[in-house]
Amino acid sequence: MKKLTVFASGSGTNFQAIIDAVEQGELDATITGLITSRDQIGALARANKAVIPCSVIKPGHYRTEEGFAEALLEALQSFDPDLIVLAGYTVKIPASVIRKYAGRILNIHPSLLPRYGGKGFYGMRVHEAVLRAGDKETGCTVHLVDEEYDRGPILAQRKVPVYNGDSPETLARRVLKQEHQILPLTIQQLLTDQTN
């Protein structure tokens, strides 16, 4: 069975969607670990409830990016993933980690990339930018991770309409609902492609 390691920095609803898909047999994989950049977050509570090992690795605790990268690589070695899933992880992955796991790291982003991607575009900031621009649709994207923020090859997208009177919060809820569906489906597709 294929092994997943998930990275998260917040409440962990996309992480929960992966847990649920595994438990319901929709995702033929096991989750070997969760890596977070913060403690006291919802994702850790979800991991504890599902009895998934956790590593809290805070970039600010390391003097250099190399030190941070070494800590991530050490944790990843113990979790031994076939695929790494960034599910609301707000820290840039060091280049040495991306190189070691090239083609095996994917990310979910709350916009139709390449729109509203890159440094500083995450969470509510993305939805605020969509509304400021007056866009009629937005959505979410699953893509492979390379050394640039939100620039890797796109694997899947889902469109979401923008309604008159939307707030960043109402838009975020509709996009997130699609994220919860598209992420497990794309993970399963990628794992199937790896096997064939």
Side-chain angles (χ1 to χ4, degrees), residues 15-31 46-47 49-52:
F15 177 42
Q16 188 66 54
I18 298 167
I19 294 170
D20 293 346
V22 168
E23 289 177 351
Q24 292 159 13
E26 296 164 7
L27 187 46
D28 186 22
T30 183
I31 304 169
R46 294 174 193 277
K49 186 176 180 190
V51 197
I52 294 168

Side-chain angles (χ1 to χ4, degrees), residues 155-173:
L155 302 175
Q157 290 186 315
R158 283 269 178 95
K159 292 181 178 177
V160 172
V162 179
Y163 299 132
N164 290 335
D166 259 332
S167 67
E169 292 76 18
T170 59
L171 192 54
R173 281 195 291 274

Side-chain angles (χ1 to χ4, degrees), residues 12-18 85-89 107-111 122-124 126-127 138-142 157-160 171-187:
T13 63
N14 273 310
F15 177 42
Q16 188 66 54
I18 298 167
V85 182
L86 309 184
Y89 189 69
N107 180 50
I108 182 96
H109 185 79
S111 77
Y122 59 88
M124 221 42 88
V126 173
H127 308 301
T138 184
C140 52
T141 303
V142 181
Q157 290 186 315
R158 283 269 178 95
K159 292 181 178 177
V160 172
L171 192 54
R173 281 195 291 274
R174 279 204 312 287
V175 171
L176 195 57
K177 189 173 182 182
Q178 295 303 316
E179 289 181 39
H180 294 164
Q181 295 174 20
I182 196 175
L183 184 56
L185 287 171
T186 309
I187 293 168

